[in-house]
């Protein structure tokens, strides 16, 4: 199943875990954000891992 969309809902604590797990998709400055133009299919495993590991469960994908 291909990932077409990744987003971060309100409540992010900017812990940086998503960037550590999947630096080609996420970056954290003031808040975590999804990198525009990131290749979701090539990074599917780490996107799923970042969503599972997120301490506040705000990383979503479809």
């Amino acid at each position: 199943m291909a990932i077409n969309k990744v987003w971060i809902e309100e409540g992010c604590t900017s812990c940086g875990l998503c960037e550590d797990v999947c630096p080609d998709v996420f970056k954290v400055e003031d808040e975590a954000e999804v990198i525009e133009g990131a290749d979701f299919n090539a990074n599917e495993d780490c996107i799923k891992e970042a969503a599972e590991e997120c301490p506040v469960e705000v990383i979503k994908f479809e």
Side-chain angles (χ1 to χ4, degrees), residues 35-49:
I35 297 171
E36 189 173 328
D39 186 346
F40 299 149
N41 291 323
N43 293 286
E44 183 174 347
D45 290 340
C46 70
I47 291 169
K48 290 178 179 179
E49 182 180 349

Side-chain angles (χ1 to χ4, degrees), residues 3 5 8-11 17 21 31-33 42-43 51-52 58 60:
I3 294 177
K5 182 178 178 183
I8 301 171
E9 295 184 337
E10 280 189 46
L17 186 137
V21 170
E31 289 186 346
E33 57 187 68
N43 293 286
E52 289 174 10
V58 295
K60 306 296 180 186

